[in-house]
Every structure is written in structure tokens, then in C-alpha cells.
Amino acid sequence: MCKERIEEAVLELDGVLIAEWDMDTKMLHLQHNPDMVSVDEIVLAIAEVGHDTDNHRAADDVYAELHEC
């Protein structure tokens, strides 16, 4: 569930070509066009679906609705 949620949130952004979340390493491997989307926009999209990043924290109400990964 978390893998799909993170990948889908990122892939919805214009300029993101590939997004693969590695559950073991907790790393997102992606290919994107930096002229179309910034890394900050990508991590913000992840936080908006309920997952904290180094630079953005998920809203408490969104986080509370998540199922365990």
C-alpha cells in the first residue's frame, strides 16, 4: 500500500518519468526532468499523501488515516 501510494503521488507530477519505492531501503529511485519538476515538489507530494520526508512533514490528519505499511 505505501509503495503504491508514494509511487502514484510522484508519478502524477508532470516531469516524473519513473518512480520506484524500495521498501527495504526506504529510498525512492526516480527519473525526472528538473526543468519541469523540482525535488522539493516531489518530496512535498510524498508528504501530502501522508509520508514524512527530510524536508516536509505529513499533516497529522492525513498521517492518521494511513494504514500500516
Side-chain angles (χ1 to χ4, degrees):
M1 285 200 177
C2 293
K3 175 179 173 56
E4 292 83 13
R5 183 175 32 257
I6 291 168
E7 291 174 354
E8 287 175 12
V10 173
L11 287 169
E12 288 180 1
L13 299 171
D14 288 337
V16 175
L17 307 171
I18 297 170
E20 295 179 9
W21 177 253
D22 185 315
M23 300 246 334
D24 295 328
T25 64
K26 309 283 191 263
M27 298 288 294
L28 177 67
H29 303 276
L30 64 100
Q31 221 175 31
H32 75 289
N33 181 339
D35 293 331
M36 295 179 72
V37 63
S38 69
V39 171
D40 193 58
E41 290 171 305
I42 293 168
V43 294
L44 183 58
I46 295 168
E48 287 176 350
V49 295
H51 299 277
D52 292 342
T53 67
D54 289 341
N55 299 326
H56 296 285
R57 188 169 186 274
D60 290 337
D61 59 328
V62 174
Y63 184 79
E65 296 294 318
L66 293 180
H67 300 283
E68 289 187 37
C69 294

